[in-house]
């Protein structure tokens, strides 16, 4: 997990964390915008997906474990 941003200030505004999409590409997620993080359901996604991050009405499957995804978001000001 890679973190970018100007500061990890209150609420994580401006801090984005890089996660891995099922196809191996990176996806940058603003920690302040994350509404939830959960484990992927069996058969919900193909490939490496272990966690699902929800931002607004959009859900993104990522290859990071639930513990790693949650930790990365929380440690940079996200409230999940």
């Amino acid at each position: 997990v890679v973190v970018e941003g100007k500061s990890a200030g209150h609420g994580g505004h401006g801090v984005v964390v890089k996660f891995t999409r099922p196809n191996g590409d990176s996806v940058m997620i603003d920690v302040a915008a994350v509404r939830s993080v959960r484990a992927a359901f069996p058969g919900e996604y193909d490939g490496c997906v272990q966690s699902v991050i929800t931002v607004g009405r959009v859900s993104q499957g990522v290859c990071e474990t639930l513990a790693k995804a949650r930790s990365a978001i929380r440690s940079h000001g996200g409230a999940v």
Side-chain angles (χ1 to χ4, degrees):
V1 176
V2 176
V3 178
E4 298 179 6
K6 295 180 181 173
S7 71
H10 181 69
H13 296 289
V15 177
V16 292
V17 178
K18 181 167 75 171
F19 292 97
T20 309
R21 293 179 191 259
N23 66 0
D25 289 345
S26 297
V27 59
M28 304 301 287
I29 296 179
D30 180 346
V31 298
V34 175
R35 295 183 67 185
S36 67
V37 181
R38 64 170 174 82
F41 300 124
E44 182 178 14
Y45 289 90
D46 291 335
C48 66
V49 174
Q50 297 184 56
S51 305
V52 179
I53 300 172
T54 301
V55 177
R57 294 182 183 190
V58 176
S59 293
Q60 175 65 58
V62 297
C63 297
E64 289 73 17
T65 64
L66 177 59
K68 189 172 183 180
R70 206 177 261 163
S71 175
I73 293 166
R74 286 180 178 167
S75 68
H76 294 92
V80 293

